[in-house]
Amino acid sequence: MEAKLSQISALSQKDKGPAFISLIPEIFSQPEATISQNLRLLVDTVVNQESVGLVVGRQVLSEVVKSLGEGTVSDHDLRKQLVEGTLTIVQPRIVSYEEQVNSLRFQLADLLEEEESWSEAARVLMGISLDSGQRSVGDTDKLKIYVRIVRLLLEDEDSVQAETYYNRAALLLHSTTDQEIILQFKLCQARISDYSRKFLEAASRYHELSYVGEIDEEERRHMLLAAVTCAVLAPAGPNRSRVLASLYRDERTADLSTYNILSKMFLDHILRSAEVKEFEKTLKPHQLAQIAISSNDRLASAGTAVDDDADPGASTRTGPSTVLDRAVMEHNLLASSNIYNNITFRGLGALLDLTPGAAETIARKMIEQGRLRASIDQVDKLIWFEKNREEDDAQGKAGGLGDVEEAEDTGAPFTKRWDNHIRLTAAHVESIVQHLSTKGLLSHDIEVS
């Protein structure tokens, strides 16, 4: 092979290109043991020998890249070795062979993606030159590359670096009308919110994508499941109640394995540890991340605990340890506000499996953030729940039923709650009848009032 290359190098410039190109099929038809060595010799000759010239070098290298891309070599490992070897030789002269290097990088990224080496494939794509060189790369092509890098990084849960490329993609989203790319971008958007623990935002985006008809049915079901998971992990309060209501009223969620915990959270039922452990098995590693307790909260929890009488059976936990732990504690605190008029720090601590001081800290934070309507009496160590709060925070407006008139204040909280439930049920029924009427599903002999 060396002798042939030397002979061709001595030819005139116009004859060199066809002569070098004629060697390419011959090299690929050789035994696997010699293909790699001979291809390296050819590429090194046309790229690094000054006598060959840049024009001829580009012609020959483009043919090599084309042959590799067309699957001339069927063996995956050999093809990967050839692409990597060619890249190693050409990379130092990327300014002269930018287009060919970019094509090789795309091929190598495809091969690594087939091996599920997600981060390596992403790093290969990151090395592609997009902003300078022989030809201008359009905004749509840049967007495709950025979205692909984000998707690959998220497969390995590298959300920090993925967010950098997601922000670059967001600036270019306006440049395309390709629905496939837009949907891929929206999915990356939902997943980044999920990894960043912006669970409410992630749940809304996953739920929106679960309705898109262009997406495969199994994928839509997976997105619906992700929406329920993120809604459960979101911070308790009116905003989460709205998302839970939307998911609970989606008839598709009844078939999900997480429907039980979804319905209990929507209906403000207290969650038991067995149900939480069952749900915990469905979570991904980033959703089980440990959370740190601030030094101020730790001191506040310990300080209140010292004032209480010692109870050998009491919990010694000073706060939630995981995202799920925190979500369940906040939900159970909200659920208990529907059951009790007031509760002691110690009683709430027993309910949440926390020290009395830690239970007070959680309640205080939720009150400060407007997620719990209550007041704290630190003298008597009581939390008083406000029973005259707007019911539509979690039920009426949250579920899209609009305003429901407040029941007359009879002075009996349980009677008032019962009356409100009746009004809400009536509003549900009327909404369903109106929907059936607009769709023409009611028979003409039925009069709708």
Side-chain angles (χ1 to χ4, degrees), residues 10-126:
L11 298 174
S12 62
Q13 276 309 107
K14 66 175 183 179
D15 296 328
K16 283 179 184 178
F20 279 125
I21 290 172
S22 67
L23 287 178
I24 296 173
E26 181 185 333
I27 291 173
F28 284 124
S29 63
Q30 292 172 352
E32 291 185 4
T34 58
I35 290 179
S36 179
Q37 180 183 355
N38 288 337
L39 186 64
R40 278 175 174 268
L41 284 171
L42 173 64
V43 173
D44 185 58
T45 300
V46 300
V47 169
N48 293 323
Q49 278 194 12
E50 292 183 6
S51 61
V52 173
L54 184 59
V55 175
V56 173
R58 284 176 179 171
Q59 288 175 349
V60 178
L61 190 57
S62 295
E63 285 299 317
V64 171
V65 172
K66 183 181 176 184
S67 298
L68 288 170
E70 289 175 345
T72 308
V73 180
S74 55
D75 182 81
H76 176 91
D77 292 335
L78 178 59
R79 185 182 168 204
K80 180 183 173 186
Q81 181 185 345
L82 295 175
V83 171
E84 288 178 331
T86 306
L87 260 177
T88 303
I89 296 170
V90 184
Q91 187 68 38
R93 301 200 60 186
I94 187 173
V95 175
S96 303
Y97 298 97
E98 185 177 329
E99 185 177 347
Q100 291 78 15
V101 168
N102 287 353
S103 297
L104 287 169
R105 283 187 172 275
F106 279 122
Q107 290 185 33
L108 182 56
D110 291 338
L111 293 167
L112 290 168
E113 193 170 346
E114 286 177 25
E115 296 175 359
E116 297 187 0
S117 301
W118 314 116
S119 293
E120 287 182 43
R123 280 194 291 273
V124 168
L125 291 174
M126 289 175 198

Side-chain angles (χ1 to χ4, degrees), residues 331-370:
H331 167 76
N332 284 344
L333 176 51
L334 271 182
S336 64
S337 72
N338 293 327
I339 301 171
Y340 304 107
N341 288 325
N342 59 61
I343 191 169
T344 63
F345 296 169
R346 183 182 301 235
L348 184 59
L351 178 66
L352 304 181
D353 188 24
L354 292 173
T355 63
E360 181 205 358
T361 299
I362 284 190
R364 172 179 52 78
K365 281 188 173 181
M366 290 182 69
I367 293 169
E368 287 173 353
Q369 294 165 2

Side-chain angles (χ1 to χ4, degrees), residues 87 209 254 295 374:
L87 260 177
L209 286 169
S295 54

Side-chain angles (χ1 to χ4, degrees), residues 90-260:
V90 184
Q91 187 68 38
R93 301 200 60 186
I94 187 173
V95 175
S96 303
Y97 298 97
E98 185 177 329
E99 185 177 347
Q100 291 78 15
V101 168
N102 287 353
S103 297
L104 287 169
R105 283 187 172 275
F106 279 122
Q107 290 185 33
L108 182 56
D110 291 338
L111 293 167
L112 290 168
E113 193 170 346
E114 286 177 25
E115 296 175 359
E116 297 187 0
S117 301
W118 314 116
S119 293
E120 287 182 43
R123 280 194 291 273
V124 168
L125 291 174
M126 289 175 198
I128 292 176
S129 179
L130 299 176
D131 298 321
S132 63
Q134 304 162 13
R135 63 187 180 90
S136 175
V137 179
D139 286 347
T140 302
D141 292 330
K142 287 182 184 179
L143 176 63
K144 288 179 181 178
I145 295 170
Y146 288 150
V147 169
R148 187 177 176 189
I149 291 172
V150 172
R151 181 175 56 79
L152 290 168
L153 290 171
L154 288 175
E155 288 294 333
D156 270 347
E157 301 198 356
D158 187 356
S159 59
V160 177
Q161 199 166 11
E163 192 164 359
T164 301
Y165 284 87
Y166 162 79
N167 291 333
R168 294 184 188 179
L171 296 174
L172 300 173
L173 188 63
H174 67 279
S175 64
T176 185
T177 55
D178 187 333
Q179 284 303 309
E180 185 180 350
I181 297 298
I182 292 171
L183 286 176
Q184 287 180 4
F185 175 83
K186 287 184 176 180
L187 178 57
C188 291
Q189 194 176 36
R191 292 181 68 188
I192 284 178
S193 297
D194 186 354
Y195 282 102
S196 306
R197 299 184 192 171
K198 299 174 183 176
F199 292 118
L200 272 179
E201 192 176 315
S204 299
R205 285 173 175 165
Y206 278 131
H207 196 202
E208 178 189 345
L209 286 169
S210 73
Y211 283 111
V212 178
E214 289 84 354
I215 299 175
D216 180 71
E217 186 178 349
E218 186 59 32
E219 284 295 317
R220 279 187 280 134
R221 187 179 185 279
H222 179 74
M223 289 174 192
L224 185 63
L225 183 62
V228 172
T229 300
C230 289
V232 169
L233 294 174
N239 290 333
R240 188 190 67 166
S241 295
R242 294 184 179 91
V243 176
L244 287 173
S246 176
L247 288 166
Y248 182 76
R249 290 183 172 87
D250 188 332
E251 59 186 16
R252 299 172 298 164
T253 56
D255 298 326
L256 300 179
S257 57
T258 52
Y259 179 73
N260 179 52

